[in-house]
Amino acid sequence: MYTDIINAKNDSQIPLCGSLSIHSKYNPEHEAESFAAEIQSDCNFFIILGIGGGYHIEALKKRFPKAKIIATECSKQALDYISNIPVCETLRKNSDIKLTSLENLSETIISEYKPAIHGNITILPIRQWERIFAEAAEEAKKIIKDSLKIISADFSVQSHFGKIWQKNIFENLKIASESKISAKRILDTIPSEKIAAIIAAGPSLNSSYEILKNNRSEYYIIATDTAFGALLKRGITADAVVSVDGQILSHHHYMHKLSEDTMFTFDLCANPSSVRKTIEAGCKTIFAETGHPLSQYASNYTGEKTFIHLNAGSGTVTIAAASFAKIAGFTKMQFFGADFSYIGGCAYTKGTYFDTLYRMNENKIHNAETTFTNLLYRTEIKKISENQFTTEILESYKTSLNDFLLKNGWQKTDKKGVVIEFKIEKNNKIQENLSNQNFSYEHFISHYKKNLTKFNENELAEKLQNTEFLTLLPLCAWVENKKNLLKFNQNKNSLLLAYSKTLGYTKTL
């Protein structure tokens, strides 16, 4: 922690930790210029360990005027202590520079760094700061590593699904407009005084179906899409189903006779054929956005919220189902089949569409068991107990769910075998914040195109703070991944290509 702020020989303010400073006590500006001059990089994104008086950050920005910079201090207290140093005050006003503390470093990196746009990151520890705050420096490096791991996984998903999501969103927005869906009216009918039973498709669900059957009147059953069919095969009709999957394979979840008593909630990124199936069956169907920038933009572009927001963590439908329960106003939840692990050699409960799909194409050499085994061992597994295994990705899903529950005030109150119960003291329904107006696809497209096309292509890369351009980022990741494969024009960057492709969607759908 800093203990004093003094004037250097040239009267510039510098913070001290005891008698030590991370800056020159004679001329910190000159020292900062030398620091920036040593950076031999065409990088557009920097993370700096150590803020102090901010002189090195100011010099780096002068040398790389188009770069984004995140700089961290060892604590919120230290950040507050240096906040009145003139250079730090100036840096705070620059939208390309984020001054943060270790407590908020991960959140800042994840929200600010866009791999498809910014390219590589350069991490610059200030040597004297690193020596003075050695423990903080090590913690910062770990936070950066963990944050980039999360971003890498997210970017990998975006680079695979970016195009599918973009196309699905436009199609689903059109469906929402045509079907005149009102989430507010539907949510008002949910009996939130019941227990919300969140049904995931983990193997332990095999041993808990009877609990649902024997106590059916006590539960409002919210099934994940994968668990939906397995429930039906055991004579259990879900009250609600939540789906976030954008792939065409998700259509297999709904190859059953659908009951009008079941309400469906689809992420706007979800597969449109699944949505049409539920609407054609006469089921109540609403849309949600789970964080895709285009979905968020469409939901809020009029200034009122049109679609509910579901927290899907790292893309997990179980978290989305729990988030739906919160929005609906439930104060008590029980989780069934939320294992995030393989139990007894099984990845899923019996009766999911995987059973049908894998057996459909099996033969004597390559049977369903072989396919399930390949699924189990597609990534490295970790042993939990003699009969239970997990993977790094499943552990991350479990962590995301626990984080969601903790942040939203849910307290674990009981565990009955494989069923886990959570309660919250008070949970006000959120639907009162939803618009009563139906979504208008024509009005949205007109508004979106107008704002998206008012900048010419040469200005695009400079407009990343514009909300319309943020909607391009997931598609941009896909373009970046496919650029060489599809032989795109290499003279155009990924943002420009995503821009052109998005305008194409607005004209054809």
Side-chain angles (χ1 to χ4, degrees):
M1 175 59 195
Y2 296 110
T3 55
D4 197 7
I5 295 175
I6 65 168
N7 289 339
K9 292 293 185 181
N10 68 347
D11 285 335
S12 296
Q13 291 185 8
I14 56 174
L16 299 181
C17 179
S19 61
L20 302 174
S21 170
I22 70 169
H23 303 296
S24 165
K25 293 182 179 179
Y26 291 89
N27 191 330
E29 289 89 351
H30 178 72
E31 179 189 54
E33 288 171 5
S34 299
F35 163 80
E38 291 177 0
I39 310 302
Q40 301 299 320
S41 171
D42 57 356
C43 181
N44 287 316
F45 202 100
F46 295 91
I47 300 178
I48 300 176
L49 307 189
I51 298 173
Y55 302 102
H56 52 297
I57 303 170
E58 182 181 54
L60 188 69
K61 186 59 177 171
K62 285 180 181 177
R63 176 163 177 160
F64 300 95
K66 294 183 178 181
K68 292 276 287 187
I69 299 173
I70 294 175
T72 186
E73 262 303 340
C74 56
S75 66
K76 290 179 182 177
Q77 189 179 5
L79 187 61
D80 290 340
Y81 192 83
I82 62 174
S83 62
N84 292 326
I85 294 176
V87 174
C88 291
E89 288 184 329
T90 302
L91 293 175
R92 284 184 181 278
K93 297 174 184 176
N94 191 320
S95 61
D96 286 335
I97 299 172
K98 301 296 177 184
L99 305 184
T100 187
S101 61
L102 290 187
E103 294 91 335
N104 297 317
L105 179 57
S106 180
E107 181 182 345
T108 305
I109 294 171
I110 291 171
S111 64
E112 295 295 326
Y113 177 50
K114 314 297 180 189
I117 305 302
H118 299 126
N120 294 330
I121 281 181
T122 297
I123 300 168
L124 299 174
I126 306 306
R127 290 172 189 159
Q128 184 68 349
W129 186 90
E130 203 172 13
R131 284 192 287 267
I132 296 172
F133 303 104
E135 289 186 12
E138 288 305 310
E139 185 179 351
K141 290 173 185 178
K142 184 180 185 305
I143 291 172
I144 293 169
K145 182 180 178 181
D146 292 344
S147 301
L148 294 181
K149 195 172 183 180
I150 293 170
I151 292 171
S152 176
D154 188 44
F155 182 76
S156 177
V157 173
Q158 290 184 33
S159 66
H160 185 75
F161 291 108
K163 181 183 177 183
I164 295 173
W165 288 340
Q166 198 95 344
K167 183 175 182 293
N168 288 354
I169 291 168
F170 280 116
E171 289 194 30
N172 283 327
L173 289 173
K174 196 170 185 180
I175 293 171
S177 180
E178 293 169 349
S179 56
K180 296 179 170 52
I181 295 168
S182 171
K184 181 173 173 58
R185 287 194 294 271
I186 293 174
L187 289 172
D188 280 337
T189 66
I190 293 177
S192 57
E193 69 279 1
K194 290 189 174 186
I195 301 169
I198 310 300
I199 316 298
S204 70
L205 187 58
N206 291 325
S207 59
S208 55
Y209 286 112
E210 291 304 314
I211 299 174
L212 293 169
K213 283 185 175 181
N214 296 336
N215 303 278
R216 184 63 183 88
S217 61
E218 297 179 19
Y219 290 116
Y220 183 86
I221 295 178
I222 305 171
T224 62
D225 46 12
T226 310
F228 170 59
L231 288 174
L232 282 178
K233 288 179 180 179
R234 288 164 175 81
I236 303 172
T237 301
D239 296 296
V241 177
V242 177
S243 182
V244 300
D245 191 0
Q247 299 177 91
I248 188 65
L249 274 175
S250 66
H251 188 63
H252 287 278
H253 295 311
Y254 310 102
M255 303 300 285
H256 307 274
K257 184 177 180 180
L258 304 180
S259 168
E260 292 183 7
D261 294 330
T262 301
M263 189 270 287
F264 292 84
T265 300
F266 288 98
D267 184 358
L268 282 165
C269 294
N271 183 262
S273 62
S274 303
V275 178
R276 293 190 190 97
K277 181 90 183 321
T278 63
I279 292 175
E280 288 169 2
C283 302
K284 294 176 182 178
T285 305
I286 65 173
F287 285 107
E289 55 87 3
T290 59
H292 190 293
L294 177 57
S295 297
Q296 289 181 322
Y297 178 85
S299 181
N300 298 289
Y301 83 99
T302 63
E304 293 185 288
K305 183 185 286 292
T306 305
F307 307 108
I308 62 173
H309 169 74
L310 293 184
N311 187 321
S314 48
T316 313
V317 68
T318 304
I319 301 174
S323 182
F324 177 81
K326 182 180 186 301
I327 288 170
F330 289 94
T331 57
K332 191 173 181 180
M333 280 194 297
Q334 289 182 4
F335 287 87
F336 295 74
D339 305 314
F340 302 108
S341 61
Y342 304 139
I343 301 173
C346 297
Y348 296 97
T349 186
K350 295 176 182 178
T352 69
Y353 84 96
F354 290 107
D355 291 339
T356 303
L357 186 65
Y358 289 172
R359 289 189 170 86
M360 189 183 299
N361 299 312
E362 70 178 341
N363 54 50
K364 290 182 179 180
I365 298 174
H366 192 87
N367 57 27
E369 185 177 353
T370 305
T371 309
F372 272 117
T373 301
N374 291 339
L375 177 66
L376 286 169
Y377 293 98
R378 59 185 168 174
T379 58
E380 184 179 352
I381 63 172
K382 301 178 181 180
K383 188 173 182 179
I384 298 175
S385 65
E386 191 61 35
N387 201 35
Q388 188 174 9
F389 299 86
T390 189
T391 67
E392 188 174 330
I393 188 69
L394 291 176
E395 284 183 327
S396 72
Y397 291 160
K398 185 175 183 178
T399 299
S400 292
L401 175 60
N402 290 336
D403 288 346
F404 166 79
L405 294 170
L406 181 64
K407 288 177 182 177
N408 287 277
W410 291 91
Q411 299 292 323
K412 186 176 178 180
T413 56
D414 199 4
K415 184 173 181 179
K416 304 171 183 177
V418 294
V419 180
I420 306 172
E421 182 178 282
F422 287 84
K423 287 183 180 179
I424 190 171
E425 284 189 17
K426 188 177 181 182
N427 198 10
N428 295 323
K429 289 191 176 185
I430 200 172
Q431 58 262 38
E432 61 193 32
N433 299 320
L434 292 174
S435 171
N436 283 312
Q437 301 299 314
N438 293 323
F439 181 80
S440 170
Y441 183 76
E442 291 75 15
H443 185 268
F444 165 72
I445 287 296
S446 175
H447 176 90
Y448 185 54
K449 284 174 65 176
K450 178 182 177 182
N451 286 281
L452 198 60
T453 57
K454 67 183 178 182
F455 303 109
N456 64 51
E457 289 191 352
N458 293 328
E459 295 177 308
L460 281 178
E462 308 300 324
K463 300 298 179 184
L464 289 178
Q465 300 304 316
N466 183 283
T467 53
E468 284 78 17
F469 287 98
L470 291 177
T471 67
L472 304 175
L473 292 181
L475 181 61
C476 185
W478 179 85
V479 171
E480 182 67 22
N481 186 43
K482 300 294 182 181
K483 197 160 32 171
N484 292 326
L485 180 64
L486 300 181
K487 298 181 180 178
F488 283 131
N489 183 349
Q490 297 299 308
N491 294 323
K492 280 191 174 184
N493 66 33
S494 298
L495 178 60
L496 298 179
L497 292 164
Y499 171 75
S500 301
K501 207 163 191 62
T502 299
L503 286 178
Y505 285 141
T506 65
K507 293 174 184 176
T508 58
L509 289 175

